[in-house]
Amino acid sequence: MAVPVRQGARMGWYLMRQRLAKREKFPLIVELEPLFQCNLECAGCGKIQHPEHVLRRRMSVADAVGAIEECGAPMVSIAGGEPLIHPEIHVIAAELVKRKRFVYLCTNALLLERKLANFTPSPYFAWAVHMDGLRERHDASVEREGTFDKAVAAIRAAKAAGFRVTTNTTFFTHDSPKTVREVLDYLNDDLQVDEMMISPAYAYEKAPDQEHFLGVAQTRKLFGEAFADGRRKRWRLNHSPLFLDFLEGKAEFECTAWGIPSYSLFGWQRPCYLMSDGYAATYKELIETTDWSSYGRGRDPRCENCMAHCGYEPTAVLQTTHSLRQSLRALAG
Ligand code: SF4
Ligand code: SF4
């Protein structure tokens, strides 16, 4: 996993502590959703369909910090909606950084340059900018022209100000191995972002566009061809090698969605941030009252096409730590 040494060491220590404590289920990253409102309306989005009174709600700083402290996760991915719309998002991020949690703030970057001065560069903080492709492809994906150029300008400004900047790219059926390579080459070599995350789009039931989600066979073909010729090693991908093997169809895992749980305005979402089978008030309650064995491919039809990191990256990370060979492979990047 291409992460800074401090973060890698902290994660290794955290995982060892869980094993010593014989804890079977524990969080690696929390998907924190402090609001659902966004300043874009992407056709593949499953988050912005809530009624207006829900879209207007904002999570309090105390609620956000309390949830992370209760579950003990070492990493937090702040998403939404668009987090930068939240008037206290910089306070939430700063409070989590103060508690030595590694924070990724996911954003479409439209407000990033305007809000940059509210944030302080830290080894515990990184931007995760939504970039679904090169200019034409990204602007079509988010359904607004000019968004790509704004995101690129914001990434450059954040890097110039000393921030760690990562990106998050979702792929759909209109992508090809060529477009995957082009966008990763651009982010890696031209923009020189610190790390890149990739994901096949999850088929949200509520998303307006239901035609362009990738199935499992399509996902494996897409990434298998895009990663061919050893190319995947030259990109700074922020994933474990085993998870990338999984995307390519070289490894098969069970879903361990308890490893990347989601906390939103409604509580802890069951079983993951992609699907909603109700909510729990605490992470402990989520773990103890969810039938985890009923989720994953072959168990729930809604999981059939899912290869998302929130279900399968924890499995890959846990398998990595159980294997010396895989641990060395992950360290080699
Ligand atoms: S930017 Fe993200 S949260 Fe906003 S509409 Fe698009 S996918 Fe949804
Ligand atoms: S396979 Fe796992 S991560 Fe994917 S939708 Fe189902 S429960 Fe969520």
Side-chain angles (χ1 to χ4, degrees):
M1 202 189 291
V3 293
V5 174
R6 183 198 303 252
Q7 188 171 331
R10 179 67 67 88
M11 283 305 291
W13 173 233
Y14 174 78
L15 288 166
M16 193 184 294
R17 281 199 343 254
Q18 308 312 310
R19 285 179 73 182
L20 290 174
K22 297 195 175 0
R23 230 177 141 191
E24 279 182 19
K25 294 185 175 64
F26 49 86
L28 298 175
I29 310 175
V30 172
E31 293 282 349
L32 181 67
E33 297 179 329
L35 80 172
F36 292 115
Q37 198 162 54
C38 190
N39 44 9
L40 286 174
E41 291 182 32
C42 307
C45 183
K47 299 289 174 183
I48 53 174
Q49 290 77 18
H50 290 286
E52 192 53 37
H53 69 277
V54 173
L55 293 178
R56 277 202 295 269
R57 284 181 59 193
R58 307 288 181 258
M59 187 183 289
S60 71
V61 176
D63 192 1
V65 174
I68 303 306
E69 287 198 319
E70 186 255 328
C71 76
M75 290 196 270
V76 183
S77 171
I78 304 178
E82 170 51 54
L84 290 178
I85 293 176
H86 192 304
E88 292 185 298
I89 203 66
H90 56 290
V91 184
I92 293 176
E95 288 297 321
L96 294 174
V97 164
K98 206 192 290 176
R99 288 161 176 78
K100 293 192 163 36
R101 307 305 164 106
F102 293 95
V103 174
Y104 287 85
L105 201 154
C106 305
T107 174
N108 58 36
L110 290 180
L111 295 170
L112 205 161
E113 283 191 85
R114 205 191 306 166
K115 302 270 181 160
L116 200 56
N118 291 345
F119 294 84
T120 309
S122 158
Y124 289 93
F125 180 82
W127 297 101
V129 178
H130 176 174
M131 291 288 264
D132 276 355
L134 296 181
R135 183 177 289 108
E136 198 181 325
R137 175 77 194 79
H138 179 77
D139 286 357
S141 181
V142 302
E143 304 195 12
R144 190 180 302 175
E145 272 186 35
T147 308
F148 176 86
D149 289 338
K150 277 199 173 160
V152 167
I155 287 172
R156 293 208 163 108
K159 283 190 71 70
F163 287 93
R164 183 175 160 213
V165 182
T166 69
T167 52
N168 194 354
T169 305
T170 304
F171 295 103
F172 296 82
T173 51
H174 19 239
D175 284 298
S176 66
K178 182 168 172 287
T179 63
V180 174
R181 288 179 170 201
E182 280 172 353
V183 69
L184 293 181
D185 280 346
Y186 176 74
L187 297 171
N188 197 82
D189 302 336
D190 297 332
L191 263 185
Q192 299 192 6
V193 301
D194 291 282
E195 292 107 30
M196 299 162 286
M197 288 168 274
I198 55 176
S199 180
Y202 173 75
Y204 284 108
E205 285 171 346
K206 290 182 192 155
D209 177 4
Q210 290 291 323
E211 287 175 23
H212 296 105
F213 294 118
L214 292 161
V216 170
Q218 287 170 301
T219 299
R220 288 176 175 155
K221 187 167 185 301
L222 179 70
F223 290 114
E225 290 177 16
F227 292 168
D229 311 324
R231 201 173 184 101
R232 117 184 177 190
K233 287 210 172 104
R234 61 178 292 284
W235 293 317
R236 293 181 295 281
L237 295 171
N238 190 6
H239 296 287
S240 63
L242 276 179
F243 179 69
L244 297 173
D245 287 350
F246 171 73
L247 288 182
E248 282 193 72
K250 292 179 177 169
E252 185 57 296
F253 299 134
E254 290 195 354
C255 167
T256 46
W258 44 262
I260 305 189
S262 167
Y263 185 73
S264 75
L265 292 161
F266 301 126
W268 292 93
Q269 188 166 327
R270 209 186 314 275
C272 65
Y273 81 97
L274 301 170
M275 268 164 56
S276 180
D277 281 351
Y279 296 86
T282 61
Y283 179 72
K284 185 171 184 293
E285 182 191 326
L286 175 81
I287 291 301
E288 291 175 354
T289 62
T290 303
D291 178 9
W292 298 100
S293 65
S294 66
Y295 295 104
R297 289 207 305 277
R299 296 170 177 169
D300 186 313
R302 296 168 298 171
C303 299
E304 224 38 57
N305 285 322
C306 178
M307 294 183 79
H309 82 119
C310 62
Y312 298 96
E313 181 89 62
T315 329
V317 169
L318 294 173
Q319 292 211 2
T320 301
T321 59
H322 287 132
S323 155
L324 180 60
R325 189 175 78 83
Q326 293 300 343
S327 297
L328 292 172
R329 199 176 158 217
L331 280 174

PDB file of all heavy atoms in Angstrom, residues 200-213:
ATOM      1  N   PRO A 200     -14.564   0.361  -8.947  1.00  0.00           N
ATOM      2  CA  PRO A 200     -15.654   0.159  -9.891  1.00  0.00           C
ATOM      3  C   PRO A 200     -16.913   0.743  -9.257  1.00  0.00           C
ATOM      4  O   PRO A 200     -17.092   0.631  -8.037  1.00  0.00           O
ATOM      5  CB  PRO A 200     -15.745  -1.371 -10.005  1.00  0.00           C
ATOM      6  CG  PRO A 200     -15.148  -1.892  -8.734  1.00  0.00           C
ATOM      7  CD  PRO A 200     -14.173  -0.864  -8.232  1.00  0.00           C
ATOM      8  N   ALA A 201     -17.770   1.392 -10.040  1.00  0.00           N
ATOM      9  CA  ALA A 201     -18.962   2.024  -9.476  1.00  0.00           C
ATOM     10  C   ALA A 201     -19.901   0.981  -8.887  1.00  0.00           C
ATOM     11  O   ALA A 201     -20.111  -0.075  -9.478  1.00  0.00           O
ATOM     12  CB  ALA A 201     -19.685   2.810 -10.564  1.00  0.00           C
ATOM     13  N   TYR A 202     -20.434   1.282  -7.715  1.00  0.00           N
ATOM     14  CA  TYR A 202     -21.424   0.392  -7.098  1.00  0.00           C
ATOM     15  C   TYR A 202     -22.808   0.766  -7.626  1.00  0.00           C
ATOM     16  O   TYR A 202     -23.135   1.948  -7.736  1.00  0.00           O
ATOM     17  CB  TYR A 202     -21.395   0.522  -5.562  1.00  0.00           C
ATOM     18  CG  TYR A 202     -22.506  -0.256  -4.909  1.00  0.00           C
ATOM     19  CD1 TYR A 202     -22.435  -1.646  -4.828  1.00  0.00           C
ATOM     20  CD2 TYR A 202     -23.651   0.377  -4.433  1.00  0.00           C
ATOM     21  CE1 TYR A 202     -23.470  -2.377  -4.261  1.00  0.00           C
ATOM     22  CE2 TYR A 202     -24.681  -0.348  -3.862  1.00  0.00           C
ATOM     23  CZ  TYR A 202     -24.586  -1.729  -3.775  1.00  0.00           C
ATOM     24  OH  TYR A 202     -25.619  -2.443  -3.229  1.00  0.00           O
ATOM     25  N   ALA A 203     -23.625  -0.250  -7.915  1.00  0.00           N
ATOM     26  CA  ALA A 203     -24.952  -0.012  -8.507  1.00  0.00           C
ATOM     27  C   ALA A 203     -25.968   0.410  -7.443  1.00  0.00           C
ATOM     28  O   ALA A 203     -26.805  -0.369  -7.001  1.00  0.00           O
ATOM     29  CB  ALA A 203     -25.428  -1.282  -9.217  1.00  0.00           C
ATOM     30  N   TYR A 204     -25.886   1.666  -7.034  1.00  0.00           N
ATOM     31  CA  TYR A 204     -26.856   2.194  -6.053  1.00  0.00           C
ATOM     32  C   TYR A 204     -28.269   2.061  -6.610  1.00  0.00           C
ATOM     33  O   TYR A 204     -28.532   2.479  -7.740  1.00  0.00           O
ATOM     34  CB  TYR A 204     -26.615   3.685  -5.817  1.00  0.00           C
ATOM     35  CG  TYR A 204     -25.428   4.029  -4.962  1.00  0.00           C
ATOM     36  CD1 TYR A 204     -24.293   4.592  -5.525  1.00  0.00           C
ATOM     37  CD2 TYR A 204     -25.450   3.825  -3.590  1.00  0.00           C
ATOM     38  CE1 TYR A 204     -23.202   4.944  -4.742  1.00  0.00           C
ATOM     39  CE2 TYR A 204     -24.364   4.174  -2.808  1.00  0.00           C
ATOM     40  CZ  TYR A 204     -23.251   4.730  -3.380  1.00  0.00           C
ATOM     41  OH  TYR A 204     -22.179   5.079  -2.620  1.00  0.00           O
ATOM     42  N   GLU A 205     -29.161   1.530  -5.788  1.00  0.00           N
ATOM     43  CA  GLU A 205     -30.552   1.392  -6.253  1.00  0.00           C
ATOM     44  C   GLU A 205     -31.177   2.741  -6.567  1.00  0.00           C
ATOM     45  O   GLU A 205     -31.998   2.871  -7.455  1.00  0.00           O
ATOM     46  CB  GLU A 205     -31.394   0.702  -5.170  1.00  0.00           C
ATOM     47  CG  GLU A 205     -31.133  -0.796  -5.068  1.00  0.00           C
ATOM     48  CD  GLU A 205     -31.802  -1.412  -3.852  1.00  0.00           C
ATOM     49  OE1 GLU A 205     -32.239  -0.668  -2.955  1.00  0.00           O
ATOM     50  OE2 GLU A 205     -31.871  -2.651  -3.816  1.00  0.00           O
ATOM     51  N   LYS A 206     -30.749   3.803  -5.805  1.00  0.00           N
ATOM     52  CA  LYS A 206     -31.393   5.105  -5.966  1.00  0.00           C
ATOM     53  C   LYS A 206     -30.726   5.978  -7.018  1.00  0.00           C
ATOM     54  O   LYS A 206     -31.196   7.072  -7.298  1.00  0.00           O
ATOM     55  CB  LYS A 206     -31.360   5.859  -4.633  1.00  0.00           C
ATOM     56  CG  LYS A 206     -32.265   5.276  -3.571  1.00  0.00           C
ATOM     57  CD  LYS A 206     -32.164   6.162  -2.341  1.00  0.00           C
ATOM     58  CE  LYS A 206     -32.807   5.495  -1.146  1.00  0.00           C
ATOM     59  NZ  LYS A 206     -32.254   5.982   0.103  1.00  0.00           N
ATOM     60  N   ALA A 207     -29.588   5.549  -7.581  1.00  0.00           N
ATOM     61  CA  ALA A 207     -28.894   6.400  -8.554  1.00  0.00           C
ATOM     62  C   ALA A 207     -29.736   6.535  -9.816  1.00  0.00           C
ATOM     63  O   ALA A 207     -30.299   5.552 -10.312  1.00  0.00           O
ATOM     64  CB  ALA A 207     -27.535   5.800  -8.895  1.00  0.00           C
ATOM     65  N   PRO A 208     -29.839   7.760 -10.375  1.00  0.00           N
ATOM     66  CA  PRO A 208     -30.657   7.950 -11.575  1.00  0.00           C
ATOM     67  C   PRO A 208     -30.144   7.140 -12.769  1.00  0.00           C
ATOM     68  O   PRO A 208     -30.927   6.655 -13.568  1.00  0.00           O
ATOM     69  CB  PRO A 208     -30.535   9.450 -11.858  1.00  0.00           C
ATOM     70  CG  PRO A 208     -29.978  10.078 -10.636  1.00  0.00           C
ATOM     71  CD  PRO A 208     -29.277   9.014  -9.856  1.00  0.00           C
ATOM     72  N   ASP A 209     -28.817   7.007 -12.905  1.00  0.00           N
ATOM     73  CA  ASP A 209     -28.247   6.264 -14.037  1.00  0.00           C
ATOM     74  C   ASP A 209     -27.990   4.821 -13.604  1.00  0.00           C
ATOM     75  O   ASP A 209     -27.078   4.545 -12.827  1.00  0.00           O
ATOM     76  CB  ASP A 209     -26.936   6.929 -14.470  1.00  0.00           C
ATOM     77  CG  ASP A 209     -26.251   6.153 -15.612  1.00  0.00           C
ATOM     78  OD1 ASP A 209     -26.852   5.164 -16.083  1.00  0.00           O
ATOM     79  OD2 ASP A 209     -25.150   6.539 -16.018  1.00  0.00           O
ATOM     80  N   GLN A 210     -28.799   3.889 -14.097  1.00  0.00           N
ATOM     81  CA  GLN A 210     -28.650   2.480 -13.723  1.00  0.00           C
ATOM     82  C   GLN A 210     -27.985   1.667 -14.832  1.00  0.00           C
ATOM     83  O   GLN A 210     -27.804   0.464 -14.693  1.00  0.00           O
ATOM     84  CB  GLN A 210     -30.034   1.874 -13.415  1.00  0.00           C
ATOM     85  CG  GLN A 210     -30.659   2.406 -12.135  1.00  0.00           C
ATOM     86  CD  GLN A 210     -29.927   1.936 -10.885  1.00  0.00           C
ATOM     87  OE1 GLN A 210     -29.456   0.814 -10.803  1.00  0.00           O
ATOM     88  NE2 GLN A 210     -29.814   2.812  -9.894  1.00  0.00           N
ATOM     89  N   GLU A 211     -27.616   2.327 -15.941  1.00  0.00           N
ATOM     90  CA  GLU A 211     -27.153   1.568 -17.108  1.00  0.00           C
ATOM     91  C   GLU A 211     -25.651   1.376 -17.163  1.00  0.00           C
ATOM     92  O   GLU A 211     -25.158   0.567 -17.935  1.00  0.00           O
ATOM     93  CB  GLU A 211     -27.566   2.310 -18.397  1.00  0.00           C
ATOM     94  CG  GLU A 211     -29.035   2.201 -18.684  1.00  0.00           C
ATOM     95  CD  GLU A 211     -29.406   3.050 -19.900  1.00  0.00           C
ATOM     96  OE1 GLU A 211     -28.514   3.328 -20.721  1.00  0.00           O
ATOM     97  OE2 GLU A 211     -30.570   3.438 -19.982  1.00  0.00           O
ATOM     98  N   HIS A 212     -24.908   2.146 -16.388  1.00  0.00           N
ATOM     99  CA  HIS A 212     -23.457   2.165 -16.605  1.00  0.00           C
ATOM    100  C   HIS A 212     -22.627   1.594 -15.457  1.00  0.00           C
ATOM    101  O   HIS A 212     -21.447   1.896 -15.337  1.00  0.00           O
ATOM    102  CB  HIS A 212     -23.003   3.603 -16.947  1.00  0.00           C
ATOM    103  CG  HIS A 212     -23.597   4.101 -18.238  1.00  0.00           C
ATOM    104  ND1 HIS A 212     -24.606   5.011 -18.285  1.00  0.00           N
ATOM    105  CD2 HIS A 212     -23.326   3.739 -19.511  1.00  0.00           C
ATOM    106  CE1 HIS A 212     -24.947   5.235 -19.563  1.00  0.00           C
ATOM    107  NE2 HIS A 212     -24.181   4.470 -20.322  1.00  0.00           N
ATOM    108  N   PHE A 213     -23.258   0.774 -14.604  1.00  0.00           N
ATOM    109  CA  PHE A 213     -22.495   0.152 -13.533  1.00  0.00           C
ATOM    110  C   PHE A 213     -21.829  -1.122 -14.048  1.00  0.00           C
ATOM    111  O   PHE A 213     -22.429  -1.897 -14.790  1.00  0.00           O
ATOM    112  CB  PHE A 213     -23.407  -0.177 -12.348  1.00  0.00           C
ATOM    113  CG  PHE A 213     -23.975   1.046 -11.681  1.00  0.00           C
ATOM    114  CD1 PHE A 213     -25.348   1.272 -11.650  1.00  0.00           C
ATOM    115  CD2 PHE A 213     -23.133   1.975 -11.090  1.00  0.00           C
ATOM    116  CE1 PHE A 213     -25.866   2.408 -11.028  1.00  0.00           C
ATOM    117  CE2 PHE A 213     -23.647   3.116 -10.471  1.00  0.00           C
ATOM    118  CZ  PHE A 213     -25.015   3.325 -10.444  1.00  0.00           C
TER     119      PHE A 213
END
